Amino acid sequence: MSAPSTHDVLGTTVTMPVEIRHARCFVAGFTADTAAVQRAIDSESTRPGTLRPLRIRPGRSMCMIVFVDYIDGDLGPYNEFGVCFLVEDPSQPPTSPLSALASLVKGDARALVHRLPVDGEFTLAAGRGIWGFPKTLADFDVDHTSAGRHGRVEADGRLIAELRLKAGLKVPDTTADTVLNAYSQLDGVTRMTPWRLTSVSGTRTRIGGATLTLGDHPIADELRSLRLGRHALMSSSVDKITMRFEDPIVI
C-alpha cells in the first residue's frame, strides 16, 4: 500500500484522510429556481455547464442551508455555514426530475459546496488549499443544544443569514458508511471530494420546520436571487457525526 498523502497547512502537516471524530449540525432544504442556481454555479467556473443543478421538479432544484459545529477533528474545533446545491453527476447526461428523485432515494447524493464561511484560520487554509472549498472568515452565534436549533452568521459586520429550526421526529442511528460526493470550485479548478460519513446519531427530521432570515451581506443577496421557496421542504438536526475527508479529484 502507498503511504498516505500529506499537505502542509500553515506549517502543520495534515495527513490524509482527515478524520472528524465528533461534529453536529442542522440543515434546511429549500427549493430554488434552477436557472438561477445554474447562473450561481457558473459564476465561479471557467467551464460553465460543467456542474448542473439536480432538478427535483421542472424548473426547481435544491439549495441546502447548513450550520456545522466541528467539535473534535484533525482540523481543530470550528463553526461552519454552508450554502450547497444538489447537483447531477457531471460524467452522465442530464436526468429527468423523476430519475433525480430515484437517485436521491438510493443514496447517490452529490452536492456542490458553493459558499462556506468558517470561524477558524487553520480550517480556512486547509479547506482552500487541500480541497478547494470556498471558505471565508465569518462570525457565528449558534445553538446546537436546544430543541429548536438556531444559527446566525455574519461577516464584515453584516448579516449573512439566520436559521431557526423546530424539533423533528427521531430517526434511527446508523453506523453504515455513506459517501457524499462533494464538489468545489475555486480559482478556476473544479474538484470532487469523497466525503465519507461513518456514523450518524441523534438525528431528528421533519417536513418544513425551518425559518430563514437573510441579511444585507452579498451572500444574502445571492440567496435572494435564487428565488428560494417561502417554506423549507425539510429540516434536520444531528447530535453526532463521525466522518472522513479523502483527497480531492480534479475534474
Side-chain angles (χ1 to χ4, degrees):
M1 296 180 62
S2 60
S5 64
T6 60
H7 301 268
D8 180 85
V9 179
L10 302 181
T12 297
T13 298
V14 175
T15 302
M16 305 302 288
V18 164
E19 298 281 352
I20 305 299
R21 291 168 288 278
H22 187 182
R24 54 189 178 180
C25 73
F26 54 90
V27 58
F30 294 84
T31 67
D33 180 77
T34 298
V37 172
Q38 186 70 72
R39 287 192 294 271
I41 293 173
D42 289 345
S43 70
E44 302 296 329
S45 175
T46 57
R47 295 180 295 154
T50 299
L51 294 177
R52 304 180 303 270
L54 188 74
R55 295 174 299 135
I56 61 166
R57 68 174 190 257
R60 302 297 285 179
S61 298
M62 283 297 296
C63 176
M64 312 301 292
I65 307 295
V66 58
F67 280 88
V68 188
D69 179 17
Y70 291 88
I71 298 171
D72 179 18
D74 292 348
L75 303 182
Y78 63 96
N79 284 287
E80 183 175 86
F81 170 77
V83 176
C84 305
F85 302 132
L86 298 188
V87 296
E88 296 186 351
D89 184 344
S91 67
Q92 300 296 321
T95 60
S96 68
L98 184 60
S99 297
L101 289 173
S103 179
L104 287 177
V105 169
K106 291 187 296 183
D108 183 19
R110 298 173 183 271
L112 167 66
V113 181
H114 182 63
R115 303 294 180 203
L116 201 62
V118 296
D119 65 356
E121 294 277 2
F122 187 78
T123 187
L124 181 145
R128 294 179 72 92
I130 299 174
W131 301 284
F133 288 136
K135 293 189 175 183
T136 54
L137 285 178
D139 299 307
F140 289 77
D141 178 10
V142 190
D143 178 3
H144 283 273
T145 58
S146 299
R149 306 300 204 259
H150 167 253
R152 180 183 177 93
V153 58
E154 299 180 352
D156 304 317
R158 302 164 72 180
L159 175 65
I160 296 175
E162 187 169 11
L163 182 66
R164 295 182 180 274
L165 260 66
K166 297 178 181 178
L169 299 176
K170 187 166 176 53
V171 174
D173 298 344
T174 177
T175 56
D177 275 10
T178 302
V179 177
L180 168 67
N181 294 308
Y183 294 85
S184 62
Q185 298 182 133
L186 188 67
D187 298 331
V189 180
T190 301
R191 299 173 176 87
M192 188 277 287
T193 298
W195 189 339
R196 186 177 300 275
L197 303 179
T198 51
S199 70
V200 180
S201 59
T203 300
R204 290 184 175 274
T205 191
R206 59 172 292 161
I207 295 172
T211 301
L212 176 65
T213 302
L214 300 177
D216 59 352
H217 189 276
I219 294 177
D221 292 337
E222 181 180 53
L223 285 169
R224 286 191 189 89
S225 76
L226 302 178
R227 296 172 56 200
L228 300 178
R230 292 182 61 186
H231 304 286
L233 278 189
M234 54 71 63
S235 58
S236 295
S237 61
V238 184
D239 290 336
K240 185 174 182 180
I241 310 168
T242 62
M243 50 189 166
R244 182 180 303 127
F245 300 137
E246 310 284 353
D247 266 314
I249 300 166
V250 176
I251 63 172

